[in-house]
Amino acid sequence: MVGEPVKSKLKKMGVTLEYAKDGTFPQFAAAHAADKILLLADRNTRRYAEELSLPHTSLCFIDEDEPVPDEAVCGKAVQEARSCDYVLAVGSGTLNDTAKYAALMTGKKSGVLATAPSMDGYASPVAAIMKGGFKVSEAAHVPSDILVDPAVLAAAPQEMIAAGAGDILGKYTCLTDWRLAQYHTGEAVDEEAFSDMLDAVQKVSSSVEDIARRDKCGVEKLTDALIISGLAMAEAGNSRPASGAEHHISHYLEMWFVAQKRRVPLHGIKVGLGTLVSAYLYEALERDGVTFKGDAATYLAAKAIPPVQELRTTLQKLGAPVQFSALGISRELFCETIKKAHTVRSRYTVLTLLQELGLTERYLPQLEALFY
Ligand SMILES: [Zn+2]
């Protein structure tokens, strides 16, 4: 359970975080006693929607196992949201994004009942939806309520738990990228967001055994970190505390999967792999005595990242892949990703540094041998 400081920071953002009491959410039910609530659920989460004891609800059922937030799904949610007072996503990922989007389009408030600790978009104001086959980020509102039942989250599929942990472990490298940008290019670092995020990722790191066993306390720590990630982004006013080169690698691969019309591996699974690349690069650059503006301070900051071997073992314990080839991508695509992922965002990261120093070709064979 997050501490009071985090709860009150969320409150200031307009977000009420409630943990279940015997599977119910009395505070939420009381606050919305008069509201007609639209419950947004898919095949995997419908049972949780049906188990919720709230007085006035209607179900917007997306009859799919893995819906994508495209025009059809979003359109249906917007349509049904018009006749309701509040939109509650019963799910993570797509459903959370769709609820935020439907709320934005209809001027209603929204919330989320988290069903899987798989992503960090719970407390985020962004709705990532698909328009014309492309993923776009709509500036939506932060959900007014985040409902957490650790028993439900601990029962989520292992792959989703592994993905959430991968997304959080990636904060080690994205925070280091932020320091690199600070020392190398003079970018500002929001210290409060930085330390909130680092604190949360360290708590997850020390609970990996519990998370791997799906222990309720472990999964709760993971969920807390995913919520805090959204909070840290709000504090910083951008996604710096949550996204660096490891995310750019994930985004680059995602575009390829979408273009190929293939099932996109979970975000955090790809981020976990990207984290290994970034962590290795920070280790290797220091080991090889590579110099650049701000190098000493950057190498010092990089000490916060666990050794790459340890990160690899951690991902394995969680059942996450540690080789890119496990995602079914080609060796050529892996190399292209390392070379080009820095172009997906204009944010300075270890991959940008590598390009700037002309060292990509030097480190590519090592990365390929270790992680492809
Ligand atoms: Zn992420």
Side-chain angles (χ1 to χ4, degrees):
M1 212 175 273
V2 300
E4 267 320 305
V6 169
K7 258 195 163 177
S8 67
K9 280 186 199 177
L10 286 168
K11 195 84 211 163
K12 263 191 221 151
M13 280 165 56
V15 182
T16 304
L17 174 62
E18 185 179 6
Y19 291 88
K21 279 196 185 76
D22 304 321
T24 64
F25 298 94
Q27 197 187 330
F28 179 80
H32 295 279
D35 288 341
K36 186 177 173 198
I37 299 173
L38 183 70
L39 303 173
L40 196 57
D42 65 14
R43 285 183 197 156
N44 295 305
T45 66
R46 183 177 187 154
R47 63 198 161 111
Y48 298 121
E50 287 168 349
E51 280 165 13
L52 269 176
S53 50
L54 296 168
H56 316 288
T57 59
S58 66
L59 179 67
C60 176
F61 177 56
I62 311 296
D63 194 6
E64 289 178 54
D65 283 316
E66 291 186 0
V68 289
D70 58 11
E71 287 88 347
V73 167
C74 288
K76 179 176 159 92
V78 169
Q79 181 64 28
E80 296 190 25
R82 291 192 205 285
S83 56
C84 292
D85 305 304
Y86 186 100
V87 187
L88 184 69
V90 181
S92 307
T94 290
L95 295 168
N96 185 41
D97 284 311
T98 305
K100 278 191 254 185
Y101 180 76
L104 178 73
M105 290 296 127
T106 56
K108 309 287 161 70
K109 283 194 169 185
S110 75
V112 58
L113 167 66
T115 56
S118 58
M119 51 103 226
D120 63 1
Y122 290 121
S124 127
V126 172
I129 58 160
M130 300 290 290
K131 272 189 179 167
F134 287 96
K135 200 152 213 182
V136 296
S137 295
E138 290 279 349
H141 301 294
V142 183
S144 307
D145 301 272
I146 303 175
L147 308 178
V148 173
D149 186 342
V152 168
L153 291 158
Q158 185 59 37
E159 192 196 12
M160 297 185 99
I161 296 175
D167 200 9
I168 290 302
L169 290 172
K171 310 311 179 202
Y172 277 125
T173 50
C174 78
L175 289 174
T176 307
D177 281 342
W178 205 3
R179 288 289 185 219
L180 163 69
Q182 179 186 21
Y183 302 132
H184 192 69
T185 71
E187 187 180 321
V189 168
D190 183 310
E191 295 298 338
E192 191 176 352
F194 189 100
S195 70
D196 281 347
M197 195 66 259
L198 186 60
D199 185 48
V201 58
Q202 284 170 340
K203 282 192 180 126
V204 166
S205 262
S206 60
S207 308
V208 165
E209 309 287 343
D210 292 340
I211 296 167
R213 286 191 283 118
R214 299 159 160 277
D215 168 83
K216 253 200 276 180
C217 290
V219 173
E220 194 174 311
K221 283 208 184 84
L222 173 58
T223 309
D224 291 348
L226 293 164
I227 294 169
I228 290 167
S229 177
L231 172 67
M233 286 189 261
E235 281 172 338
N238 59 56
S239 62
R240 248 305 182 191
S243 168
E246 73 299 316
H247 272 72
H248 300 169
I249 288 172
S250 170
H251 297 328
Y252 195 88
L253 290 173
E254 176 157 352
M255 289 191 289
W256 181 82
F257 279 96
V258 170
Q260 298 290 314
K261 299 199 174 1
R262 287 172 55 168
R263 180 189 178 237
V264 183
L266 290 173
H267 168 74
I269 295 292
K270 302 191 293 305
V271 170
L273 287 163
T275 303
L276 294 176
V277 169
S278 284
Y280 176 77
L281 287 174
Y282 277 113
E283 273 183 26
L285 292 170
E286 186 180 13
R287 178 196 66 207
D288 298 342
V290 173
T291 57
F292 51 90
K293 184 178 170 229
D295 51 4
T298 300
Y299 290 141
L300 192 63
K303 301 268 182 256
I305 309 174
V308 69
Q309 191 48 46
E310 190 184 315
L311 283 170
R312 195 206 293 252
T313 310
T314 299
L315 288 171
Q316 280 171 325
K317 273 186 201 158
L318 294 161
V322 292
Q323 307 289 142
F324 282 76
S325 53
L327 301 186
I329 65 165
S330 67
R331 200 173 278 277
E332 291 67 33
L333 177 61
F334 171 78
C335 295
E336 184 188 310
T337 304
I338 302 299
K339 286 182 199 166
K340 294 197 181 155
H342 71 283
T343 60
V344 305
R345 296 281 189 279
S346 60
R347 177 168 287 174
Y348 204 91
T349 70
V350 69
L351 285 178
T352 331
L353 177 72
L354 211 62
Q355 280 291 327
E356 195 181 280
L357 299 175
L359 294 175
T360 308
E361 293 294 341
R362 175 171 159 193
Y363 287 102
L364 192 53
Q366 298 171 30
L367 293 169
E368 194 184 337
L370 284 165
F371 307 121
Y372 175 70

